[in-house]
Amino acid sequence: MKKLKWLSIPLAFMLVVLAGCQSVGGLDISKALANNMKPVSSESRQTVSVEVVPAEGALSVSDKVAIELINSFSLNIEHGKVEDDQTVSMKGDVQLNGQTTPFLLSMDEQGIGLQIEGAKQPLYISQQQEAPDILATDNLDAINQGSQEMAVKVGEFIYKHFPNPPVISVEQGETEVNGEKLKLTHLHTEIRGDEFFDLVKPFLANAAKDEQGLKALIEGYYDLFVPYVLMLEENSSALPDDKQAIVDNIYTELKKGLEEILASYDAEIQKMLGDDPDVATIFGKDTVLKLDLYFDGQLNVRKQTMDLNIALPSSEDLPISAVKVHSDSEVWNIGGAVKADKVDTSNGVLDFTAADPTPGQVLRNFEGVAPLYQFLDETMNIGYKMTSIDTDSDYYGVIKKEGTTYIPLRFFADELDADIKWMQDSSQFVVTDDITGKEIVLKVGSSEALVDGTPVQLKHPVFIDTNGSSYVPLRFMAEALGAELDTEIEGWIMLTRE
């Protein structure tokens, strides 16, 4: 979590740079940025690369491997297509560890599909799930449309009140986009980490003074969501129906909250930076975001380049001094006829809709994609499992019989994602290891098991108790499924699969 904290906080700089742009050099930047929040058909290409800068001093072998792997990453979207606000596709490839993996991502009102070249099946997330009557197609479309309109209004409000960054310029020139020379307006802006909080404060002050703007936003959200809240609420008569009173009350509380923040803003920021050297490093002069946007005559962004350097506090857990992200993109055919590509799901999918596939299912799906398989298996170690079993708790159902510790087969198999089949005719269980596919055959009442066809003698047989639960010897089952047991803590059993 600490690593994610340091990597995520500085992304706020992008918002400030994008938002902190008023009219410069004849370009109404606020209007231009808000204009580009509206969904419209288009085609595009984009590249993203990441570089991790190691901290000074010796690095462990695992740290060096991880840093080299991250630095080998790049994302190339050769052809992005926006057909409408719900239908999008991206065709491109991922570079990782010197290997290229092509992919196709598509999204429509039915679901999201991701086909990776070499994978057995595409990944899929369905968006066609059961919903309350109020979220029927017509209502859902209305909510989506209203949400998009509100997003634009919120963007306009933010852009309106943020001050300009210290470094900002606008110039006219000719730039190539998708092989075509265009006359575009070039906006360049930069912000350092130590400038961040000085830009946020005037935004809060300006927002607090804009009674009309704040009330307009509150009214917009009221109109968008309250009708559906009333439809869901059984006793809707208990809810206030005076829209203006509700808007006024929310505005009053919001304004009060902003004023309270502003009253202690400088002292709180200074205290935070003084008390936490790590935060001071991130929001220091070495964290820098540089952004170049190129607008056409209709204020559409046709080209964009971003360079973000995030200074990080070095530690044993995170032996790096900075993360650098570079991105560039081009957009064309804006508002034109665009047909998004579609992932082929006719031969089945690896479905993430109801429940995540098991680690073994994921790994087997990507056996033909060497870099991704290696990343998931060795770097991410997605097959890792650790479970704590309280031997005194009825929940786990652990029992001891004739010196052998037993555990319910169903519970144990579920913990390790193993599949169980009950063969009623032969009174046998066939347990399949999720990662290796190895089969363990257990016969009720028998002290012999088969592990991938090899007979193994058990100290005591598998049995079914009076409640119908099937019990297996814990240590045998753990070792058969590639897990280790640790009983050093009295009353507890630690189950680990590396």
Side-chain angles (χ1 to χ4, degrees):
M1 290 301 295
K2 183 177 181 182
K3 296 179 182 180
L4 292 175
K5 172 185 174 184
W6 298 139
L7 292 174
S8 62
I9 290 177
L11 296 181
F13 284 97
M14 291 193 64
L15 173 63
V16 173
V17 170
L18 285 170
C21 299
Q22 306 304 314
S23 182
V24 175
L27 175 65
D28 188 339
I29 301 169
S30 174
K31 180 180 178 181
L33 293 174
N35 178 69
N36 283 273
M37 293 183 67
K38 301 172 183 177
V40 63
S41 61
S42 65
E43 298 178 72
S44 64
R45 67 170 59 92
Q46 182 177 13
T47 61
V48 179
S49 61
V50 179
E51 177 188 356
V52 169
V53 181
E56 295 183 0
L59 296 174
S60 68
V61 174
S62 60
D63 287 337
K64 288 181 180 178
V65 171
I67 289 173
E68 289 175 0
L69 182 66
I70 293 172
N71 288 349
S72 72
F73 168 83
S74 66
L75 170 67
N76 174 40
I77 300 174
E78 298 173 0
H79 202 170
K81 298 179 181 179
V82 178
E83 183 174 332
D84 53 45
D85 59 356
Q86 296 188 68
T87 312
V88 178
S89 67
M90 289 184 288
K91 184 179 182 180
D93 60 69
V94 172
Q95 297 274 346
L96 188 66
N97 206 21
Q99 300 187 63
T100 301
T101 304
F103 70 88
L104 171 63
L105 173 72
S106 67
M107 179 179 70
D108 56 26
E109 60 184 7
Q110 301 297 318
I112 302 171
L114 174 61
Q115 178 63 60
I116 298 174
E117 187 174 287
K120 293 180 175 65
Q121 293 181 320
L123 311 185
Y124 193 75
I125 301 175
S126 174
Q127 302 192 92
Q128 299 297 301
Q129 302 182 44
E130 290 187 11
D133 291 339
I134 67 164
L135 294 183
T137 303
D138 291 344
N139 290 333
L140 194 56
D141 289 344
I143 292 175
N144 288 335
Q145 180 64 31
S147 297
Q148 291 168 8
E149 293 174 357
M150 281 305 304
V152 173
K153 291 178 180 178
V154 171
E156 290 174 340
F157 181 85
I158 293 173
Y159 300 143
K160 174 182 176 182
H161 292 305
F162 254 103
N164 289 336
V167 177
I168 187 167
S169 63
V170 171
E171 62 181 12
Q172 308 295 323
E174 194 173 72
T175 305
E176 185 173 302
V177 176
N178 193 38
E180 181 183 4
K181 291 285 188 179
L182 301 174
K183 290 184 178 180
L184 302 175
T185 301
H186 174 202
L187 166 68
H188 174 78
T189 183
E190 301 178 16
I191 181 175
R192 298 197 317 255
D194 55 356
E195 300 166 340
F196 179 81
F197 295 112
D198 290 337
L199 293 171
V200 173
K201 182 180 179 181
F203 165 72
L204 296 176
N206 292 337
K209 296 175 184 177
D210 187 359
E211 178 177 351
Q212 181 179 357
L214 285 174
K215 285 186 175 181
L217 290 181
I218 297 169
E219 288 178 358
Y221 280 111
Y222 181 98
D223 293 338
L224 179 59
F225 293 115
V226 167
Y228 301 102
V229 173
L230 292 175
M231 291 176 67
L232 281 172
E233 181 62 40
E234 293 181 2
N235 187 16
S236 59
S237 60
L239 296 174
D241 57 1
D242 188 340
K243 172 182 173 180
Q244 193 57 51
I246 295 174
V247 170
D248 289 343
N249 287 336
I250 295 176
Y251 166 75
T252 299
E253 292 300 317
L254 182 57
K255 186 173 187 297
K256 180 181 177 182
L258 289 172
E259 290 174 345
E260 289 176 352
I261 292 173
L262 287 166
S264 59
Y265 185 87
D266 292 333
E268 291 294 330
I269 296 301
Q270 289 304 315
K271 183 176 185 301
M272 178 179 66
L273 295 176
D275 291 348
D276 195 333
D278 291 343
V279 174
T281 298
I282 293 175
F283 292 99
K285 62 181 180 61
D286 293 326
T287 291
V288 181
L289 173 61
K290 298 179 181 180
L291 187 65
D292 291 275
L293 299 173
Y294 298 80
F295 297 90
D296 62 18
Q298 288 72 47
L299 299 183
N300 297 307
V301 174
R302 303 298 301 274
K303 189 172 183 176
Q304 176 177 318
T305 302
M306 181 203 74
D307 284 288
L308 174 62
N309 182 84
I310 306 170
L312 295 176
S314 180
S315 67
E316 292 183 1
D317 294 332
L318 193 67
I320 59 178
S321 61
V323 174
K324 298 180 178 181
V325 182
H326 174 80
S327 173
D328 58 64
S329 62
E330 297 180 357
V331 184
W332 64 94
N333 195 20
I334 298 175
V338 178
K339 186 68 175 177
D341 298 316
K342 190 173 180 63
V343 169
D344 183 4
T345 61
S346 60
N347 293 320
V349 297
L350 193 60
D351 198 337
F352 284 76
T353 304
D356 291 343
T358 67
Q361 289 172 328
V362 173
L363 287 172
R364 286 189 289 276
N365 191 62
F366 293 117
E367 285 177 341
V369 190
L372 183 55
Y373 183 92
Q374 182 181 9
F375 177 75
L376 292 171
D377 185 33
E378 299 178 9
T379 305
M380 296 297 294
N381 194 14
I382 68 169
Y384 177 83
K385 291 279 185 176
M386 185 174 73
T387 300
S388 301
I389 301 173
D390 184 353
T391 58
D392 297 325
S393 171
D394 293 337
Y395 173 78
Y396 299 96
V398 175
I399 62 175
K400 288 190 176 181
K401 186 176 181 181
E402 299 180 27
T404 298
T405 301
Y406 282 80
I407 193 166
L409 175 59
R410 174 62 61 185
F411 166 80
F412 191 81
D414 287 346
E415 287 297 306
L416 293 179
D417 302 309
D419 179 66
I420 303 176
K421 287 186 175 63
W422 166 243
M423 316 297 288
Q424 187 169 356
D425 293 342
S426 57
S427 298
Q428 290 181 331
F429 291 100
V430 178
V431 182
T432 305
D433 188 301
D434 176 55
I435 300 297
T436 65
K438 178 169 55 179
E439 284 191 350
I440 301 101
V441 181
L442 305 162
K443 184 177 179 64
V444 176
S446 173
S447 296
E448 183 177 273
L450 295 177
V451 179
D452 254 4
T454 301
V456 175
Q457 291 299 313
L458 308 177
K459 289 184 178 180
H460 300 286
V462 175
F463 68 93
I464 298 177
D465 71 358
T466 56
N467 294 320
S469 296
S470 305
Y471 277 81
V472 294
L474 174 58
R475 184 169 295 279
F476 161 76
M477 205 66 217
E479 293 174 352
L481 291 175
E484 296 181 356
L485 296 181
D486 183 348
T487 58
E488 290 184 3
I489 302 176
E490 186 175 354
W492 288 86
I493 296 174
M494 305 299 294
L495 174 68
T496 306
R497 182 183 69 194
E498 297 290 346

